[in-house]
């Protein structure tokens, strides 16, 4: 019902169970209290001559009625038997009220009576359950507001006024206040305000009390607004359409100075000598109220509340009246003609400040409940906000500050209803005042900036500005303007840092931190797809299905923003060439393929930044299409209920009126048609609107053109417009109003081209109110980051620049910290929204502040760094960002590495920065190792000896240098300040956690990791063939260490990094000609990478191992220096990863590296150890590495670097490997298909052949033990392979390539010059072994060989070699000469026994019998008769005895 809900029954229930005694004592106490108040009033009255005289004059004179009523009450109070609540309060209030009302009493008597009433009210004697409490409350209010007394002295008068205020406030605070009617509440406030007004001429104390009471009253009344019921019944009958009406005042109960008896000057009049009360109370207030009666847009008075509602218990109606009254106080300045801009401080800022304070209290307490009461809301939307816009430009900082506070409260509670009003406030007040170029004083700028910062601290403020205004084509880019303003205002340009700069920075950082906080609230992953228009849709008709659901409104506002941006680009094109501008918009689907008038009209109407001259020319064109566009353009305006001059102003603000009369005619025809259609008012037809519009344009030119000397008068104007309204005259008042409106305020026919921020004129305000009825709903954002990506992209650049400049200029740590917080927030947002470029910019900016990139001009850079708080904070921040948000750093890694390198050069890095990750995991992965792996110890050991002398690293090293006295010049002890600076530096570096960047690199995103690796390669620089400076080499070594560390840390992503790492190491290896730390680190780093990664990356094994070929490309001198260590590393690699090396390519590299060591005095032992590991017992031999390992073993066997034993062991390794071949052959036969088995056997045969070829070469070794052992091993390899089932065709090849070749080579050595013979001692013994090998193998394989077609040839060669050896002339050759016949004889006997050598009648070269004796008889003619004594055919069965003896002999 629009009134307060009563909560009285609770009290009544609580009071029932009280005991009778307590009740009676309570009754007595109240009776005594009232009795004492009666006594007090009577006592004061007796002191007055007028009242005291009546007692002594005689019995015939009765007492005055006032005294009688008091005495009567005194007699009654103790005789009442009922509860006080059942006693009519009027009985005990009336006597006091009569005293208050009486004009015969003086100020002291009235004051005491008022005190009595105050006491009764404050003791809670009255509550809602009291009988007739409503009448009693009304009586009190009526009596106090009509209080009359004689003024005897100013002091007593002020006391009475103070007590009046007390009583009125007590009425409102009483439990029974809910029974007051709307009218009485209005009367209380009006009375209080009149006291406030009159107190202006009284003492300071009264003024303050009066104002305080007024505040308390307003608070008391509006505090109940949230408790008020729905308001429909509170409006005028049938007032459902009243939403946009202003509240009105009815003259019967409004805040005029009239009392109930119609005597306007009778209240408080007293007997004033000066008559101030009369003139003041009725004059200013009455005048004020007359002028403040609100007007609707059409000039009619607003509909007032029904009198019936005003007499009901108070609720919304009185609040509307009071709020309207408070707003009307702001109109006083306007009505008294005191312009705000003229001399703002000359008018009394007291009234507006007072009114604004009351309004603020009302809004604070009414809060969101206001939106449920259309009349209150309407007052705020229109009248209040219009005044706030005006007072916002006040020169008084107090007023401006209060205006901003009110707007902030309105934003908090009612922003959904004030979308366009808020836009206007920020555009026309905040943005204007915050910049000195619009003429605002420093104080105004500061207050405006403070207000803006307060808004920025509201978490959703900027998001909502962006969503509602920046993304709306009909509104300005408020978010963008405010963000730019904050950025610019934080920039100190050619001046020191001031509080204004810091204030702007606070606002900027508040916005950024708001975004950062929203990230934590989720929905960063809210899918933001790029907006793209695929087809034409009318851009001004885009609608959202649900403004409350982010699923709908987020895509909607992003689409609108895209359209708005495209329109702005289109406007830019249009301003250069209208035709091309329209074509561009057609290409982006914002205008249809075939232009239609409506779409072009809407483009002109809703696009900011268009050249208004070009728009005017287009609209004024006589072309048919242009005329249609003009009519559509006029149709976009809403002139409903507008005055003609207001409508014309709004119309002509959007373009420049062309100069030609025909064009003006066309434009005004379109305007007048639209105006008549919407607001005919008193106009008879369109022609009347056209003629009057033309007349206004002419009047405007006449009045405001300096060249027109004789100005048109009002009469002239009225005369010029006779008979234009359908043959009749327009009302004179109507024309006069138009005349003065134009005279006072020029219609600008050449509007500004969007420069700066427009002032809010009355016509613009009317237009704003019209638009606010049609604008899209206000979008309320929650605390999630829906649009932050788009917003941050707009403001990130200026924000980083602004924070950086302030940080650069700042001198205090609290400002540093504010900036650092800003930097970290920017980093968080950039990372979470994947804005890598922004993060890179931030890193670049921050790195400059670390001072680490500056060329060191300081003598002691470490001390300087320790003393520079800004540099230390920036350094910690850079590395904090690198550690937290490294995933999204790209090119910024280069700057970060520059800082790291500088710290490295200063010796400030922790010693473990590069090695941490790699070493820890290496140690843990090898449980058998103790302490750090050999690699590191090797590297460090050789760094000192080979590389350039390294300065002592680590902070403590620097510190010891500082403390050292062993330098050439004696150094003084460091001071306490220096020690403190070092300590600070140490703490700073610890906070940076630089090592984490590399140890945690395994968690970096791929792109970032790749960029980090590239940055390391870039920072290391390209290796030069010439000598480099020690410092450059140190840098290159350090970068390489880091590169290797991240490579080892990212074994799962080695494919990503490998190419770059390999190329970098290759460059170093191939360009180095002298042993140095860099090449050492490169080679051992490469080996270490292979060691660590081979177990995990089998698919990359070949590539990793191929990279080791770089070691083979080392310059000979460099290779020689590192050979032992390289071999140790290769050995370790082989031992750890032999099972993971599967390809021939990988083994070829390993074998090559091991082979090289065979001839190196220091490295051969490690190399042989590795080879033994692979070959011993065939543990790690495979078809992939068999030949390579055999060849490597041969090289060790031939090498004379180690002991002879090693060569013999090498031969054993070769010979022992045959067992692998046997095993593989068996496996092939058992486990594979026939075809595959055949292929495998063929491969095994080839491997075997390569093995025996290798042994053949060792058989030629100069050392007797080695070659003899090799011969025996070769014999074993040739005879112990029956299980392999070698292909038959392989044996002739073997005899030819291995046995015969070896025999020939040995024969050649034996026949050589004396020097050769000297080198090959006891060669004859070797020859004997060789011949035995020949016959042994031949006989062992006789069965198989005899089946060969080429057997005869083979047999001839065997005999031939024996013949050759018979003819050799060697020292101590007797044994050889004895052995050959015997061997030959045994061979022939076995051949005979096995049926291979039998007489045949066949003739030709393949006849074994014939060929045998042909060649044997040449050497030993008698041998045939010994073998075949009878020369007849022997039985073909074999003789075991003969066989055994032959065999034994051969052996």
């Amino acid at each position: 019902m629009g009134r307060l809900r009563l909560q009285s029954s609770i009290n009544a229930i609580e009071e029932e169970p009280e005991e009778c005694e307590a009740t009676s004592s309570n009754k007595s106490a109240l009776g005594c209290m009232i009795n004492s108040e009666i006594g007090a009033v009577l006592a004061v009255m007796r002191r007055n001559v007028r009242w005291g005289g009546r007692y002594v004059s005689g019995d015939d004179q009765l007492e005055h009625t006032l005294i009688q009523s008091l005495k009567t009450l005194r007699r009654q109070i103790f005789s009442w038997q009922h509860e006080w609540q059942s006693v009519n309060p009027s009985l005990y209030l009336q006597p006091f009220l009569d005293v208050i009302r009486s004009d015969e009493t003086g100020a002291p008597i009235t004051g005491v009576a008022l005190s009595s009433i105050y006491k009764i009210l404050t003791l809670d004697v009255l509550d809602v359950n009291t009988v007739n409490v409503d009448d009693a409350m009304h009586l009190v209010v009526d009596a106090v507001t009509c209080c009359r007394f004689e003024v005897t002295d100013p002091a007593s008068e002020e006391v009475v006024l103070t007590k009046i205020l007390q009583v009125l406030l007590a009425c409102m605070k009483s439990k029974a206040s809910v029974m007051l009617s709307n009218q009485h509440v209005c009367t209380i406030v009006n009375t209080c305000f009149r006291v406030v007004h009159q107190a202006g001429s009284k003492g300071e104390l009264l003024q303050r009390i009066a104002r305080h009471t007024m505040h308390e009253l307003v608070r008391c009344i509006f505090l109940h607004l949230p408790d008020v019921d729905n308001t429909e019944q509170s409006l005028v009958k049938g007032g459902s359409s009243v939403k946009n009406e202003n509240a009105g005042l009815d003259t019967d109960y409004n805040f005029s100075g009239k009392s109930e008896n119609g005597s306007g000057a009778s209240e408080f009049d007293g007997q004033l000598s000066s008559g101030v009360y009369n003139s003041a109370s009725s004059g200013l207030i009455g005048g004020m109220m007359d002028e403040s009666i609100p007007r609707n847009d059409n000039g009619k008075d607003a509909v007032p509340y029904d009198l019936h509602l005003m007499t009901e218990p108070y609720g919304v109606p009185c609040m509307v009246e009071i709020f309207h009254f408070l707003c009307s106080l702001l109109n006083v300045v306007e009505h008294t003609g005191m312009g705000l801009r003229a001399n703002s401080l000359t008018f009394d800022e007291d009234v507006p400040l007072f009114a604004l304070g009351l309004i603020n209290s009302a809004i604070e307490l009414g809060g969101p409940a206001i939106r449920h009461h259309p009349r209150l809301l309407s007052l705020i939307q229109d009248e209040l906000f219009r005044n706030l816009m005006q007072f916002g430009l006040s020169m008084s900082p107090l007023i401006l500050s209060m205006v901003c506070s009110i707007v902030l409260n309105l934003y908090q509670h009612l922003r959904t209803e004030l979308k366009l009003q808020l836009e206007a406030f920020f555009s026309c007040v905040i943005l204007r005042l915050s910049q000195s170029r619009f003429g605002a004083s420093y104080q105004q700028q500061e207050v405006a900036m403070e207000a803006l910062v307060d808004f920025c601290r509201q978490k959703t403020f900027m998001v909502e500005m962006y969503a509602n205004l920046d993304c709306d084509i009909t509104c300005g880019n408020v978010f963008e303007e405010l963000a730019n303003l904050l950025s610019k205002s934080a920039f100190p340009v050619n001046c020191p840092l001031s509080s204004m700069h810091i204030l702007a920075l606070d606002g900027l950082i508040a916005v950024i931190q708001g975004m950062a906080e929203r990230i934590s609230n989720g929905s960063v992953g809210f899918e933001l797809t790029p907006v793209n228009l695929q087809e034409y849709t009318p851009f001004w008709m885009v609608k959202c299905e649900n403004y409350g659901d982010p699923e709908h409104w987020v895509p909607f506002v992003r689409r609108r923003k895209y359209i708005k941006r495209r329109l702005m680009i289109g406007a830019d094109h249009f301003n250069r060439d209208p035709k091309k501008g329209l074509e561009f918009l057609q290409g982006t689907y914002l205008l249809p393929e075939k232009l239609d008038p409506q779409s072009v009209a809407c483009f002109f109407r809703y696009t900011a930044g268009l050249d208004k001259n070009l728009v005017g020319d287009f609209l004024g064109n006589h072309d048919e299409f242009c005329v249609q566009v003009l009519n559509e353009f006029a149709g976009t305006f809403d002139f409903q209920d507008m005055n003609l001059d207001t409508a014309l102003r709004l119309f002509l603000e959007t373009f420049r009126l062309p100069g030609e009369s025909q064009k003006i005619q066309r434009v005004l025809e379109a305007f007048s048609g639209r105006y008549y259609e919407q607001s005919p008012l008193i106009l008879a037809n369109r022609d009347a609107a056209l003629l009057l519009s033309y007349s206004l344009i002419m009047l405007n030119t006449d009045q405001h053109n300096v060249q027109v000397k004789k100005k048109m008068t009002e009469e002239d104007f009225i005369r010029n417009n006779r008979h234009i309204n359908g043959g009749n005259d327009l009302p004179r008042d109507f024309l006069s109003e138009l005349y003065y409106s134009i005279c006072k305020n020029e219609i600008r026919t050449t509007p500004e081209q969007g420069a700066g921020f427009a002032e809010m004129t009355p016509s613009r305000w009317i237009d704003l109110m019209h638009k606010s009825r049609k604008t899209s709903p206000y979008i309320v954002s929650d605390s999630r980051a829906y649009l932050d990506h788009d917003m941050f992209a707009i403001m990130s650049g200026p924000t980083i620049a602004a924070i950086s400049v302030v940080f650069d200029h700042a001198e205090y740590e609290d400002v540093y910290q504010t900036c650092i917080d800003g930097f970290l927030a920017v980093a968080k947002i950039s990372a979470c929204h994947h804005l890598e470029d922004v993060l890179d910019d931030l890193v670049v900016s921050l790195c400059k502040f670390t001072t680490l990139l500056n060329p060191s001009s300081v003598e002691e850079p470490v001390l300087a760094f320790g003393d520079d708080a800004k540099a230390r904070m920036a350094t910690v921040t850079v590395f904090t960002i690198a550690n937290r948000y490294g995933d999204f750093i790209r090119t910024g890694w280069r700057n970060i590495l520059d800082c790291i390198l500088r710290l490295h050069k200063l010796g400030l890095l922790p010693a473990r920065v590069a090695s941490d990750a790699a070493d820890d995991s290496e140690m843990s992965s090898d449980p058998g190792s103790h302490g750090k792996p050999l690699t590191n110890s090797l590297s460090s050991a050789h760094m000192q000896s080979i590389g350039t002398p390294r300065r002592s690293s680590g902070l403590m090293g620097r510190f010891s240098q500082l403390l050292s006295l062993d330098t050439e010049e004696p150094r003084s002890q460091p001071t306490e300040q220096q020690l403190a600076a070092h300590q600070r530096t140490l703490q700073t570096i610890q906070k940076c956690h630089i090592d984490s960047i590399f140890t945690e690199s395994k968690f970096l995103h791929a792109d970032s990791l790749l960029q980090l690796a590239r940055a390391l390669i870039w920072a290391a620089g390209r290796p030069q063939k010439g000598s480099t400076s020690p410092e450059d080499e140190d840098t290159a070594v350090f970068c390489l260490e880091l590169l290797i560390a991240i490579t080892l840390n990212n074994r799962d992503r080695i494919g990503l990094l490998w190419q770059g790492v390999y190329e970098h190491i290759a460059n170093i290896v191939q360009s180095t000609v002298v042993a140095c730390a860099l090449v050492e680190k490169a080679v051992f780093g490469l080996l270490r990478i292979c060691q660590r990664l081979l177990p995990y990356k089998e698919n990359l094994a070949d590539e990793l191992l191929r990279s080791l070929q770089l070691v083979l490309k080392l310059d000979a001198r460099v290779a020689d220096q590192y050979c032992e260590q390289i071999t140790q590393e290769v050995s370790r690699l082989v031992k750890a990863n032999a099972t993971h090396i599967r390809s021939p390519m990988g083994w070829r590299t390993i074998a090559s590296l091991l082979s090289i060591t065979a001839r190196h005095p220091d490295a051969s032992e490690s190399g042989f150890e590795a080879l033994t590991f692979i070959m011993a017992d065939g543990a790690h031999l495979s078809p992939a590495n068999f030949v390579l390992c055999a060849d490597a073993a041969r090289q060790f066997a031939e090498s004379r670097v180690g002991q002879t034993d090693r060569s013999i062991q090498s031969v054993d390794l070769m010979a022992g490997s045959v067992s692998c071949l046997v095993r593989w052959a068996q496996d092939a036969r058992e486990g594979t298909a026939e075809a595959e088995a055949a292929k495998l056997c063929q491969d095994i045969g080839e491997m075997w052949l390569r093995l025996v070829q290798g042994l053949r070469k060792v058989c030629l070794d100069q050392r007797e033990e080695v070659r003899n052992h090799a011969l025996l091993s070769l014999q074993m390899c040739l005879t112990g392979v029956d299980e392999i089932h070698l292909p038959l065709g392989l044996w002739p090849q073997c005899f030819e390539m291995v046995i015969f070749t070896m025999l020939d080579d040995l024969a050649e050595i034996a026949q050589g010059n004396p020097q050769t013979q000297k080198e090959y001692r006891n060669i004859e013994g070797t020859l004997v072994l060789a011949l035995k090998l020949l016959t042994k193998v031949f006989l062992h394989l006789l069965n198989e060989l005899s089946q060969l077609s080429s057997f005869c040839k083979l047999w001839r060669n065997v005999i031939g070699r024996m013949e050759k050896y018979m003819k050799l002339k060697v020292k101590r050759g007797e044994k050889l000469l004895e052995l050959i016949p015997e061997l030959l004889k045994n061979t022939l006997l076995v051949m005979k026994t096995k049926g291979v050598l039998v007489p045949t009648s066949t003739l030709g070269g393949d006849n074994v019998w014939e060929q045998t004796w042909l060649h044997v008889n040449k050497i030993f003619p008698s041998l045939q008769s010994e073998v075949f004594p009878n020369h007849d055919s022997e039985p073909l069965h074999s003789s075991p005895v003969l066989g055994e003896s032959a065999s034994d002999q051969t052996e």
Side-chain angles (χ1 to χ4, degrees), residues 1006-1017:
D1007 289 344
S1008 179
L1009 179 65
L1010 195 56
Q1011 290 293 342
L1012 174 57
R1014 285 175 182 168
L1016 280 165
I1017 293 166

Side-chain angles (χ1 to χ4, degrees), residues 28 48-49 107 115 120 189 418 508 725 766 826 829 863 906 917 1036 1046 1149 1155 1186 1240:
S28 305
N48 189 297
V49 176
S115 294
I120 293 167
V189 174
L418 299 169
L508 205 53
N725 196 27
I766 292 165
V826 168
I829 300 161
L863 291 179
L906 293 174
I1046 65 166
T1149 307
S1155 302
F1186 185 89
L1240 203 58

